[in-house]
């Protein structure tokens, strides 16, 4: 027997409808790519997005067509998202930090028909325009005045298209499983693969993130998503802020400490989300200028592990609460958050910190399991580490066009490629990427855990650990250190620093000082490139040649 | 094109799975119907609910069968809910406050095959057992020791059934639109009608209620749902607490001020939900005993309009935040909550109070509109009142077995039967039931607004307003007052009290002092009965006979 409740498909256009109906005068403030601060409202964004939907239809966009954005976080980018998704087309977010070759590959693979872009990215588009045969139109997200300098042949003006179009447009009215958005993984191995979100998955993700123990934002919040819309959907904030009527502050192209601080203060931001490097820049700026955030209450940090010093600085120096989060493009992206349970909330601050430094626990809707290489479940004891597997209504089922084949295990779980522990409080901690973990004498060594400790050495700017082949143990860890400018250090200084903080048999067999530790497009250490660079390296005392 | 995310049906069994997996040792504490405080955990409840599912299968329950509960809020009641819903049967909550004839009608209409009941309700079931031909088994939610006194022939023991059954049971694994639960409206006109919830509607309702601006509960909360599971699903708390791992404190049969206070303190409750009368009893108890709640942070109050004095007492005397909420059986039940927006949050306490006294604004997933009698939309100006219409994924689409026919308007909205205003902050306020509103000279007069003011008179215990027919104005209001014990008062005392607080033309034409103002099964004033009692009443000065 079926229930008799209303048929109300979960399509994301309804989220912006809600914002316009109930929070129509709530502001969206952007640092525009052209320079000035620009203010609009949910009501205006709603009206303009509908105009843009009509403009897209005028350009021949059909349901299911892919329309890309190569853009910073601004109100116009939000308008483009809702305009594309509202008519059943697929919004494909392009990450401008990718190499041009990767961008062209992704655009071609997605068969993008239109690209919305900021002025910033015109040079790269112009240079590679001939390698994007599927692209019929490039729409520059600016006004007529700024189009004067645009030399790209055939480029269209965003504001002109809007002005020429009617705001009367039917949104939604299709199956909630309709594709809404497409985002490619950064692809450290093989070609990038596309994750094709549905309206349903985005809507459910939005509802889940609104929970008090997840993002927990409300109508009274002012939210600054530093995390870009082009990378893992700004962690859902373009949807969740609309869903509750939170004021949105969009940072545009300027993510440096001074610019972020200026917006935090001028717009009275209460909540923000970003990767650790952004917060590091903000902290540096605040220390140098002896300034403090006066309205900021909470920051969510993810993308890579949060350094302890960062949590302490926010908590002790500025009274800002830090929530550590984990997720990936394949999980829409939120997977876990380190919000305290009742038992943890009753601990003293130092004990709580141990849990803040973990990636946290899943909200309802995310199932997690830990497995060994043979697929057997591992205990949640906080020390056993295994492959992290994830399942849920906003977790990838298969990649776009079937790339990579069947990607779920027999129980329907997706392999995150991460290696993790889960403790008896339910707190998950990533200990490594599965492909980076070092297998020494049949046991696993976490490279990330060693890196996190090593980078805490006052002379270290960056640290990376890779496995080098060893005749007896198969692999042994090698620590690479990029020192702070002007510093010098010895191998023993670093090995001594690690002593007592990691198991003795985890101690790296060597420390190599390097000029550069390369970062990938999403700001994470690029171990693939490091391994390439270290190809000829041989462990001291090991006769076998390294095969790293 | 369809998205490629995982197929993960929204079935409520997954909510309890989540609680058991991630909050398995979190407590559910019940004041048992037998007397003592009983402690269990989500892990145990999960295991026992699965045993009970097998017991139900053993009794021949098939997917789609209706299994009723006539029970207080206890852990066993939660076990019964999940056990029934987990195997695709329909959990039909019976309201013990209904007259026996209504109960028998509802049981017959639903074709309930089994009734789970507490010891409390055995007498009524025994007396009317022969009027429940569909019922094959009655399961008494107690242990073997307490079964000794049970004289109902064939009654089964809950604990014995559990002990005899295996915990290995597959839950879910069916369409998310499968019916999960059934609740009948109190039915002030005609027969009660059934609202048939689906797994999907309950799951989406749960996610929505978790939002910070809605219930906003988290894992660190301890929640006391005074609002019964048999009336509007305890406002979803049996699901939402499981979804976040909040500690649950179940009050059983004792809802008096002293008993509620005892649990608030002994279990360190942080959040509670109940109708105004319960809070009134608690306040009276605390005043008499000069006690205070020491851990309670927030109460959600709904079911009927919240008196101003109640909000002030919680806020000023006890530092507890009050959230006013509105909903109905047909909305699962949450429809609106008066959580502050940014603009309201910045107002002073007295200005904020004006909004707390309204029923509030809808979360995403609830669409509201105001209409006049001809179906034209009315403005959100805070003064124009009209019919309140509601739409969303957890709003009724049709009643069980098609009772009442097509109940949605052409736009898919359900008529709540309430008359309301919506102000320019988006805050809705119920001004009356559509059938109670007084039509005087073509204009509407809100009976509830007059009642709320009149009951604030220090001599008034209860107040009700009904329309009496009038030769010139069609209808005019009459105020009925039940005085506090031992008080006397004059008509002019009450009319003088209303002066300046309502429009002059709203002033009742008469004040009638009565011994009793009857309340219905859900604690609301029973105007149907009042109108019957006042049948012979004629307005002073009006020649026409009243037709009320």
């Amino acid at each position: 027997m079926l229930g008799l409740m209303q048929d109300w498909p979960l399509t994301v256009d309804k989220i912006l409808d809600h914002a316009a109906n109930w929070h129509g005068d709530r502001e969206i403030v952007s640092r525009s790519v052209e320079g000035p601060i620009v203010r609009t409202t949910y009501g205006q964004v709603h009206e303009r997005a509908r105009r843009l939907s009509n403009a897209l239809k005028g350009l021949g966009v059909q349901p299911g067509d892919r329309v890309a954005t190569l853009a910073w976080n601004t109100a116009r980018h939000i308008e483009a998202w809702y305009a594309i998704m509202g008519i059943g087309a697929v919004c494909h977010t392009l990450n401008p930090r990718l190499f041009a070759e990767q961008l062209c590959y992704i655009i071609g693979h997605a068969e993008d028909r239109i690209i919305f872009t900021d002025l910033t990215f015109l040079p790269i588009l112009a240079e590679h325009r001939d390698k994007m045969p599927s692209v019929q139109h490039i729409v520059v997200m600016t006004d007529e005045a700024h189009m004067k300098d645009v030399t790209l042949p055939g480029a269209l003006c965003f504001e002109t298209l809007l002005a020429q179009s009617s705001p009367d447009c039917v949104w939604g009215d299709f199956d909630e499983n309709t594709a809404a958005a497409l985002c490619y993984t950064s692809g450290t191995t093989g070609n990038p693969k596309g994750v094709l979100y549905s309206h349903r998955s985005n809507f459910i993700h939005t509802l889940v993130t609104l929970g008090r123990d997840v993002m927990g934002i409300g109508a009274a919040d002012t939210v600054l998503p530093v995390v870009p819309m082009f990378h893992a959907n700004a962690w859902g904030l373009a949807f969740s802020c609309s869903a509750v009527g939170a004021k949105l502050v969009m940072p545009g192209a300027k993510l440096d400490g001074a610019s972020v601080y200026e917006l935090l203060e001028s717009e009275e931001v209460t909540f923000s989300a970003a990767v650790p490097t952004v917060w590091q820049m903000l902290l540096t700026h605040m220390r140098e200028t002896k300034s403090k955030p006066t309205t900021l209450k909470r920051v969510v940090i993810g993308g890579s592990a949060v350094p302890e010093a960062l949590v302490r600085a926010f908590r002790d120096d500025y009274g800002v609460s830090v929530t550590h989060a984990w997720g990936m493009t394949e999980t829409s992206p939120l997977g876990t958050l380190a919000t305290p349970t009742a038992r943890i909330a009753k601990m003293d601050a130092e004990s709580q910190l141990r849990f803040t430094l973990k990636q946290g626990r899943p909200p309802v809707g995310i199932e997690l399991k830990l497995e060994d290489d043979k697929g057997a479940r591992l205990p949640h004891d906080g020390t056993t580490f295994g492959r992290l597997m994830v399942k849920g209504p906003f977790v990838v089922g298969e990649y776009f066009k079937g790339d990579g084949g069947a990607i779920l295990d027999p129980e329907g779980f997706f392999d995150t490629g991460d290696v993790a522990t889960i403790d008896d409080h339910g707190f998950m901690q990533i200990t490594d990427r599965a492909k980076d973990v070092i297998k020494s004498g049949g046991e696993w060594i976490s490279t990330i855990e060693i890196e996190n400790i090593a980078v805490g050495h006052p002379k270290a700017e960056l640290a990376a650990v890779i496995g080098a082949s060893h005749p007896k143990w198969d692999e042994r860890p090698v620590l690479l250190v990029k020192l702070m400018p002007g510093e010098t250090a010895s191998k023993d200084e670093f090995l001594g620093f690690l002593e007592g903080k990691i198991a003795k048999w985890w101690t790296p067999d060597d420390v190599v000082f390097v000029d550069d530790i390369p970062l990938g497009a999403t700001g994470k250490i690029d171990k693939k490139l490091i391994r390439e660079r270290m190809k000829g390296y041989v462990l001291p005392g090991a006769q076998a040649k390294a095969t790293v």
Side-chain angles (χ1 to χ4, degrees), chain A:
Chain A
M1 190 190 315
L2 299 184
L4 294 172
M5 306 307 278
Q6 293 183 10
D7 179 27
W8 197 90
L10 302 174
T11 58
V12 300
D13 49 286
K14 287 174 173 142
I15 297 175
L16 193 61
D17 286 349
H18 178 82
N21 286 335
W22 301 98
H23 306 279
D25 58 358
R26 192 75 168 133
E27 280 188 319
I28 302 180
V29 180
S30 308
R31 187 187 294 283
S32 67
V33 175
E34 296 86 349
I37 299 291
V38 173
R39 318 185 86 82
T40 180
T41 64
Y42 282 112
Q44 288 164 12
V45 163
H46 185 257
E47 199 257 5
R48 285 164 51 88
R50 294 207 177 214
R51 286 181 187 273
L52 192 58
S53 286
N54 278 324
L56 287 169
K57 286 181 179 178
L59 294 172
V61 172
Q62 299 289 325
D65 282 353
R66 272 75 69 199
V67 177
T69 63
L70 183 67
W72 301 108
N73 288 10
T74 67
R76 284 190 183 126
H77 198 172
I78 291 182
E79 289 162 358
W81 271 31
Y82 281 105
I84 297 164
M85 299 183 205
I87 57 170
V90 179
C91 178
H92 175 201
T93 45
L94 294 167
N95 184 344
R97 292 178 188 145
L98 294 173
F99 294 112
E101 291 67 28
Q102 281 180 301
L103 268 181
C104 294
Y105 167 80
I106 288 174
I107 291 165
H109 188 272
E111 301 169 67
D112 294 327
R113 294 190 54 191
I114 293 176
I115 298 176
F116 284 93
T117 187
D118 282 324
L119 291 165
T120 322
F121 308 114
L122 285 172
I124 191 176
L125 287 175
E127 190 182 339
H128 300 277
R129 182 67 184 87
D130 58 331
K131 286 168 229 139
M132 306 169 185
S134 67
V135 177
Q136 296 163 326
H137 301 284
I138 289 175
V139 180
V140 188
M141 299 170 80
T142 193
D143 54 22
E144 204 55 60
H146 287 84
M147 285 301 285
K148 300 220 163 56
D149 308 321
V150 174
T151 54
L152 194 69
L156 301 171
C157 172
F158 187 87
E159 291 296 334
T160 307
L161 281 176
L162 276 190
Q164 292 167 346
S165 304
S166 153
D168 295 327
C169 181
V170 175
W171 272 356
D173 216 15
F174 39 67
D175 185 332
E176 68 184 28
N177 291 300
T178 300
L182 178 64
C183 185
Y184 281 72
T185 58
S186 41
T188 45
T189 54
N191 279 323
K193 290 188 272 293
V195 179
L196 191 65
Y197 308 105
S198 66
H199 281 262
R200 172 185 166 97
S201 71
N202 277 343
F203 204 115
I204 295 174
H205 182 262
T206 301
L207 293 182
V208 168
T209 62
L210 294 180
R212 190 214 177 93
D213 282 355
V214 190
M215 290 300 209
I217 55 172
D221 275 308
T222 296
V223 176
L224 172 65
V226 186
V227 55
M229 293 168 73
F230 60 70
H231 179 219
N233 315 308
W235 303 352
L237 288 165
F239 294 124
S240 52
C241 290
S242 312
V244 297
K247 175 174 162 183
L248 260 171
V249 181
M250 306 297 274
K254 294 196 172 170
L255 310 183
D256 61 284
S259 300
V260 168
Y261 180 77
E262 185 187 292
L263 284 179
L264 287 178
E265 289 303 297
S266 63
E267 299 301 330
E268 304 185 351
V269 170
T270 60
F271 178 102
S272 187
V275 295
T277 46
V278 165
W279 298 123
Q280 209 65 65
M281 291 190 293
L282 175 70
L283 288 178
T284 303
H285 169 80
M286 292 196 295
R287 280 173 193 143
E288 283 171 4
T289 56
K290 294 194 183 4
S291 48
K292 283 177 180 249
T294 55
T295 58
L296 188 65
K297 292 199 168 47
R298 186 164 166 232
V299 293
V300 174
I301 310 184
S304 55
V306 176
E308 183 174 328
L310 196 60
V311 182
R312 288 189 187 277
F314 270 116
R315 187 189 70 177
D316 301 337
D317 302 345
Y318 304 112
V320 172
S321 163
V322 171
T323 303
H324 193 178
W326 166 84
M328 53 201 305
T329 302
E330 287 89 340
T331 60
S332 294
L334 286 180
T336 63
L337 291 100
T339 41
T341 60
R343 274 201 288 162
I344 294 171
K346 286 185 177 167
M347 295 177 181
D348 60 60
E350 282 307 286
S351 303
Q352 285 193 30
L353 185 68
R354 286 192 294 123
F355 295 95
T356 305
L357 294 174
K358 299 190 176 194
Q359 275 77 6
R361 58 196 175 84
V364 70
I366 286 283
E367 297 182 51
L368 294 182
K369 66 175 180 178
L370 283 187
E371 276 189 2
D372 66 17
D373 273 340
K374 296 178 191 85
R377 291 222 183 197
L378 295 171
H380 293 190
D381 59 10
T383 56
T384 307
F385 51 93
R387 286 174 174 278
L388 182 68
M389 312 287 289
V390 63
K391 182 175 173 179
F394 43 89
V395 177
V396 67
E398 57 181 293
Y399 288 111
F400 190 45
K401 297 186 174 178
D403 281 358
I407 55 173
L408 305 187
D409 78 2
E411 287 181 317
F413 282 78
F414 169 74
D415 187 340
T416 63
D418 282 320
V419 170
T421 59
I422 298 176
D423 66 26
D424 60 357
H425 294 264
F427 272 55
M428 184 274 287
Q429 182 164 31
I430 305 280
T431 56
D432 221 331
R433 290 292 295 169
K435 62 185 180 339
D436 295 334
V437 79
I438 294 168
K439 289 173 187 168
S440 176
E443 299 285 338
W444 288 8
I445 295 173
S446 158
T447 61
I448 292 178
E449 207 167 320
I450 304 174
E451 285 163 7
N452 284 347
I453 297 167
V455 82
H457 190 290
K459 291 184 180 174
E461 185 174 316
L462 285 169
V465 173
I466 58 166
S469 78
H470 188 280
K472 181 172 174 191
W473 304 112
D474 287 335
E475 283 190 317
R476 289 296 302 157
V478 178
L479 172 64
L480 282 77
V481 177
K482 181 188 178 193
L483 292 169
M484 293 281 191
E487 290 290 353
T488 55
S490 70
K491 170 177 169 174
D492 287 344
E493 245 176 293
F494 272 84
L495 295 184
F497 184 74
L498 294 174
E499 205 176 317
K501 300 189 179 90
I502 54 171
K504 208 164 181 68
W505 64 277
W506 282 30
T507 308
D509 279 22
D510 197 8
V511 180
V512 179
F513 296 95
V514 291
D515 289 340
D516 176 40
I517 288 184
L519 303 178
T522 58
K524 290 177 197 168
I525 292 171
D526 186 346
K527 296 215 174 159
K528 196 178 160 196
L529 187 52
I530 293 177
R531 281 189 279 257
E532 270 173 39
R533 290 183 185 174
M534 295 288 285
K535 224 165 201 169
Y537 173 83
V538 179
L539 273 178
Q543 292 310 311
K545 208 178 144 240
T547 59
V548 284

